[in-house]
Amino acid sequence: MEAGMMTSRSSRSKDSSLELPDTECDVVTVPARQGLEAVDILRRGAGDAVGPVLHDDGCDTLGFLVPPGTAAGWDVPGSTCTETDGRGLRLAPESSADGADWLLPPGEAEPATDPAVLREALDEAQRMIEAADGRS
């Protein structure tokens, strides 16, 4: 897996604050800059459109929880979607103070982000980044 995440057959670890919810999900991993822009776009949208999001400081990525099965049809350039097959994910232990943590923790967000809505937000975020960087 990417972004310092690893799979685990165990559904609970000693530090449950860093675990994904006890439910099946896939994880879309994107560069942090694009992901943060997408979170802003999703939060400005109608309703609560964004689910739990992981931020991995060490690898500079964000991971969006999406419904299971999303990985089968995910084709957004610059991102990956990983199946969890119902296995709980936990963050790989970090030796430094800069480890991965929840940007939007489970319980404070929707159970998962709608993949179609996420795709649109990531596309818009990429266009905003390109415009800010002087590329079109």
Side-chain angles (χ1 to χ4, degrees), residues 36-66:
L36 290 169
E37 290 287 349
V39 168
D40 286 343
I41 291 164
L42 290 167
R43 294 188 90 179
R44 286 190 314 255
D48 296 322
V50 63
V53 179
L54 285 165
H55 184 230
D56 186 338
D57 294 322
C59 292
D60 204 30
T61 60
L62 289 185
F64 290 83
L65 272 61
V66 293

Side-chain angles (χ1 to χ4, degrees), residues 30-131:
V30 299
R33 184 175 177 196
Q34 183 182 17
L36 290 169
E37 290 287 349
V39 168
D40 286 343
I41 291 164
L42 290 167
R43 294 188 90 179
R44 286 190 314 255
D48 296 322
V50 63
V53 179
L54 285 165
H55 184 230
D56 186 338
D57 294 322
C59 292
D60 204 30
T61 60
L62 289 185
F64 290 83
L65 272 61
V66 293
T70 300
W74 191 258
D75 61 355
V76 176
S79 69
T80 59
C81 188
T82 306
E83 294 179 11
T84 66
D85 297 327
R87 295 174 298 208
L89 287 177
R90 64 179 178 83
L91 302 177
E94 299 287 336
S95 57
S96 70
D98 294 332
D101 202 356
W102 291 107
L103 178 67
L104 295 175
E108 293 183 16
E110 291 294 306
T113 301
D114 180 301
V117 174
L118 178 58
R119 181 184 315 267
E120 289 175 19
L122 289 172
D123 288 345
E124 184 177 340
Q126 187 60 40
R127 287 190 301 273
M128 291 172 63
I129 291 167
E130 289 172 356

